[in-house]
Amino acid sequence: MGATTAAPGGSMTVEGSCADEFAEVRAEFERNFAERGEVGAGVHVTVDGETVVDLWGGDAGGRPWTEDTITHVWSCTKGATALCAHVLASRGELDLDAPVTRYWPEFGQNGKADALVRHLLAHQAGLTAWREPVPPGGMFDWGLMTDLLARQEPFWAPGTRHGYHALTFGHLVGEVVRRVSGASLAEFFEKEVSGPLGLDFWLTLPEDLEPLVAPTIPADRGGTLPKLYVAGMTRPESMQALLLTNSGGYVAASNTREAHAAQFGAVGGMSNARGLAQMYRPLALGGEYNGVRLVADTQIPVMSSVVSAGHDEMLLAPTRFSLGFMKAVDNHYLPPEERGALMSEDAFGHSGMGGSLGFAAPESRMSFGYAMTRMGQGVGVNERGQSLVDAVYRALGYRQAPGGLWFRTGSERASPHRAE
């Protein structure tokens, strides 16, 4: 059902479509603007391959947010990068259990000879930040950044611990994709994923699409900082400090054309809610949608199974990861700034700094995407995105455990209807 409505408490209008069974998602989306400080955003949900929610609204940098608006989705990019590796693995071209040096010989320096490809995907490689100083603008030089990682000593022996590779993940996994496929990460993603699926998702944004970009609005100052930031500001020798200060100025330049055009497979993706949800749609359906098969159905359990769990050496909080994707964790006891996304156990995907989120939930054949401009504080999904996720699961007939994770009570769920 399509409609344009005014959000409560203001003149901002919400546009798009929403099936009747998912009316609560629309209500929460409108509440985000009226009560939770949303500025510009979109939410998109598919079930059984059909679009059931496609909503957008707000401001996109001095102009209305439209159906075609795109924005910076930050670490949601990691899901796209990981997917490229799994496409190659599903075809038998990449062995996730092989040493990285099989594909990238130079990587074996300084104690990394035994590192496996799976260690890169599972945040177990011990390369959570660049040790050598990154020159201004150096983050836009793919060869420089991968060379630095190849010769760097890890912070721990690969495979022995896990810690979020916030900025390095894309260069590590992306370089393996490049070595195996012969194409850059962005080229491979466009040829094998975004092009065939017709996604609004780019790892290097074409210049003619720049007018569609809604710029990122930094999170409000103040409040309680995540432990990551506290450690980075109080322990100058720490990996957290290197993460915050040794990026070649990327965060400060992230709203520029140079950053949008660069290939940065950890945090550089440009997309919207539709692009995120529709990238995960085939993965919610066994790996294929509308004749486009991304991976074999046997690859889905590999993509969704937890391989890293517990204390995160970088975030200093509990996290859970599959091979390249974020998993839900019972974190209700943590302060809000330390929490991740609360999903069902089968779900896998990735959030982005400030609150964006995309994931697949194969059990319910559902995919979800949320993207916005105003960032929230913390390292995971804030109340704006989580309210939408919660509303989707309720519409699907799920219940919430005391720790916040969603579980299915039976075979009944809302009947899928195309949102038109």
Side-chain angles (χ1 to χ4, degrees), residues 15 40-42 56-60 63-67 69 71 214 272 371-373:
E15 299 185 84
W56 62 87
D59 178 81
R63 62 187 186 279
W65 189 294
T66 70
E67 182 179 10
T69 297
T71 194
N272 51 32
M372 76 296 144
T373 54

Side-chain angles (χ1 to χ4, degrees), residues 51-134:
T51 296
V52 295
V53 178
D54 185 22
L55 299 172
W56 62 87
D59 178 81
R63 62 187 186 279
W65 189 294
T66 70
E67 182 179 10
D68 297 324
T69 297
I70 54 179
T71 194
H72 195 167
V73 295
W74 296 89
S75 284
C76 291
T77 313
K78 291 182 175 70
T81 297
L83 175 55
C84 291
H86 283 282
V87 168
L88 290 169
S90 180
R91 296 174 181 173
E93 298 176 38
L94 172 62
D95 183 352
L96 301 182
D97 294 322
V100 177
T101 53
R102 177 184 298 181
Y103 310 105
W104 183 3
E106 303 90 332
F107 184 82
Q109 303 173 58
N110 286 319
K112 304 193 300 298
D114 296 329
L116 307 180
V117 175
R118 65 167 38 245
H119 295 153
L120 307 184
L121 286 160
H123 299 269
Q124 296 174 348
L127 299 169
T128 49
W130 281 271
R131 289 184 183 271
E132 292 187 45
V134 177

Side-chain angles (χ1 to χ4, degrees), residues 271-329:
S271 187
N272 51 32
R274 184 182 307 107
L276 290 169
Q278 293 185 1
M279 179 181 75
Y280 284 103
R281 174 161 55 183
L283 306 181
L285 303 175
E288 180 180 7
Y289 171 73
N290 199 26
V292 177
R293 176 160 289 282
L294 295 183
V295 297
D297 58 359
T298 53
Q299 195 71 22
I300 302 300
V302 179
M303 303 170 79
S304 61
S305 298
V306 175
V307 294
S308 296
H311 178 74
D312 189 298
E313 297 289 334
M314 175 58 84
L315 297 181
L316 304 176
T319 56
R320 296 166 78 232
F321 295 98
S322 66
L323 290 177
F325 300 96
M326 182 187 75
K327 296 285 289 183
V329 59

Side-chain angles (χ1 to χ4, degrees), residues 325-343:
F325 300 96
M326 182 187 75
K327 296 285 289 183
V329 59
D330 178 353
N331 55 19
H332 69 287
Y333 59 91
L334 295 174
E337 66 273 6
E338 304 287 356
R339 297 176 187 169
L342 297 172
M343 307 177 294

